[in-house]
Amino acid sequence: MSLVTTKEMFAKAYDGGYAIGAFNVNNMEIIQGITEAAAELKAPLILQVSKGARAYANRTYLMKLVEAAIIETGLPICLHLDHGDSFELCKACIDDGFTSVMIDASSKPFEENIELTKQVVAYAHDHGVVVEAELGTLAGIEDEVVVAEGHASYTRPEEVEEFVSRTGCDSLAIAIGTSHGAYKFKPGTKPQLRFDVLEEVSKRLPGFPIVLHGSSSVPQDLVAKVNNYGGNMPGAIGVPEDQLRKAASMAVCKINIDSDLRLAMTAAIREHFALYPDHFDPRQYLKPARAAIKDVVAHKLVNVLGCDGKAF
Ligand code: G3H
Ligand code: 13P
Ligand code: ZN
C-alpha cells in the first residue's frame, strides 16, 4: 500500500454518513499513537502536516515516518498539507509526494481566494493530487496567524457553488462555529455549531465533501489532569462531540483534530513527571504520551467520526 488521495475515502464517507479523521503530526510518537489506534480499528486516515510541523521536524523526516507507518499498518493513508498559505508551499509538498494539499486563502478577498486556489488546483491535478480550499474564516491560531474572534465569519452559502465550480477544488472547508486551539467558546456559554449553514451549503453542493477545521473537543478530564499537575488552562472549552458526530453524518467527510492530541500528550507527560520526578530517560515519559494519543484517537474514530472498520 502506498499513500492514497482522499477521493475514494470521501466518496465512501459521504455515502456512509461518517467522516475521516485528519490528525496533525509533528514527530514519531504522535504518528505512532495515531496509526496504532487506526490499525487496531481498521480506520482510513489522513495525516496532516502544517507549515510549522514541516519547519519543526524537517520535511524528509515526516515523509519517511509516514511511509514507515504505512509499512507497519498497511492502512490507506493520505498525507495532507494543512493550511498551505502559498502556491510555492503547496507545490513543494506536491513535489515531495503529498497526496493532498490545502490552500488556505480564506482570509483573502473572494476573487483572490479563487485565483490562488485555481493556480494550486491546476498544478495539483496535473500531479494526481487533490486540493482542499476554504471559504469563511475561523477564529483562533494556526501557525503564527491569529484570527481574533471579531474577524471570524461564517461561510456564506450563496458563494459556494461559484467558488467550487470556478476553482475546481476537491473539498471545501467551511466556517460554522468551530475554531482553532483549546479556547473555542466562552465559559458559561452553550457551544452550538451552525447546522443551518452546513445544510444550506450541502444542498447547493450535492455529493461534495465538506471539511471541518478546529474540531477538537478539549476533554475536560484532560484539562483537569494538566491543571492538577501544575498546568494553567482555565476556560479551555471545545466542540461538543455529539455535534461533530452529527456533522459527520451529514456532508462533512473530514474532521481536523490537533489540540486534543496536544492536550493528551501534555497531560500524560505532566502526570508522569509528577509521579516520577527522578525520571530523565525520554522513553519513560514519551511512552505514556504516545499511549495517551492512541487512546484519544481510538475514541474519536469510534465515537466521533464513525470510521472504524472502513479502511478496506
Ligand atoms: O490548525 C492548525 C493546526 O492545529 C496546526 O497547528 O500550525 O501550530 O502546527 P500548527
Ligand atoms: P483544533 O485546534 O481544534 O484541534 O483544530 C485543528 C485543525 O483545524 C488543524 O487544521
Ligand atoms: Zn485548521
Side-chain angles (χ1 to χ4, degrees):
M1 176 73 71
S2 48
L3 285 170
V4 298
T5 74
T6 50
K7 269 243 169 312
E8 196 183 324
M9 282 185 193
F10 285 171
K12 286 187 187 163
Y14 196 103
D15 290 344
Y18 62 90
I20 314 292
F23 301 101
N24 287 73
V25 298
N26 292 277
N27 69 9
M28 183 182 78
E29 284 75 12
I30 296 174
I31 292 174
Q32 289 176 330
I34 298 166
T35 55
E36 282 172 19
E40 277 177 23
L41 291 161
K42 297 188 172 40
L45 262 187
I46 299 170
L47 296 179
Q48 52 188 15
V49 171
S50 69
K51 186 178 172 180
R54 211 163 164 265
Y56 169 79
N58 166 305
R59 46 187 264 258
T60 315
Y61 280 94
L62 287 177
M63 192 79 206
K64 294 295 170 194
L65 286 168
V66 172
E67 281 172 14
I70 294 174
I71 293 169
E72 283 298 313
T73 64
L75 284 176
I77 294 179
C78 165
L79 178 58
H80 173 77
L81 168 66
D82 191 27
H83 294 286
D85 60 354
S86 66
F87 173 78
E88 290 71 26
L89 177 58
C90 292
K91 179 180 180 302
C93 289
I94 293 166
D95 294 346
D96 277 350
F98 280 48
T99 45
S100 174
V101 293
M102 175 190 195
I103 176 67
D104 181 359
S106 58
S107 59
K108 297 187 188 302
F110 188 67
E111 284 300 325
E112 278 179 48
N113 188 351
I114 288 186
E115 278 320 303
L116 183 51
T117 303
K118 251 168 90 171
Q119 194 191 358
V120 172
V121 167
Y123 189 80
H125 285 183
D126 265 358
H127 292 77
V129 171
V130 291
V131 178
E132 174 185 328
E134 180 167 334
L135 256 189
T137 319
L138 273 68
I141 307 169
E142 325 156 345
D143 274 322
E144 297 94 44
V145 184
V146 180
V147 180
E149 230 177 301
H151 291 93
S153 57
Y154 296 115
T155 302
R156 291 154 51 91
E158 57 276 25
E159 291 181 344
V160 298
E161 292 144 296
E162 183 185 351
F163 184 85
V164 168
S165 70
R166 283 180 62 196
T167 60
C169 65
D170 302 280
S171 60
L172 184 68
I174 63 169
I176 58 167
T178 63
S179 60
H180 291 106
Y183 304 90
K184 299 182 191 298
F185 298 97
K186 288 206 174 66
T189 59
K190 199 171 168 286
Q192 181 57 57
L193 298 184
R194 289 285 303 271
F195 285 104
D196 56 324
V197 174
L198 173 58
E199 240 161 50
E200 192 53 38
V201 167
S202 49
K203 239 186 252 163
R204 288 165 184 263
L205 296 173
F208 194 80
I210 300 302
V211 176
L212 280 193
H213 281 248
S215 297
S216 279
S217 297
V218 192
Q220 292 304 298
D221 57 329
L222 292 182
V223 175
K225 206 184 240 188
V226 168
N227 290 339
N228 284 341
Y229 295 115
N232 182 20
M233 298 185 67
I237 295 175
V239 184
E241 289 189 341
D242 58 332
Q243 293 188 34
L244 293 168
R245 183 70 206 100
K246 180 175 169 184
S249 75
M250 298 166 69
V252 171
C253 295
K254 172 175 180 271
I255 294 190
N256 285 15
I257 298 169
D258 184 10
S259 296
D260 283 356
L261 275 54
R262 296 176 176 191
L263 196 51
M265 195 165 195
T266 302
I269 292 172
R270 279 192 177 278
E271 180 182 39
H272 187 86
F273 280 122
L275 297 174
Y276 308 101
D278 58 323
H279 278 184
F280 65 96
D281 177 343
R283 291 172 297 187
Q284 291 169 317
Y285 55 86
L286 289 176
K287 201 170 165 184
R290 179 172 62 192
I293 288 181
K294 182 176 174 182
D295 285 351
V296 168
V297 171
H299 171 80
K300 302 282 177 192
L301 296 173
V302 175
N303 300 298
V304 177
L305 302 149
C307 62
D308 50 310
K310 312 285 189 193
F312 306 106

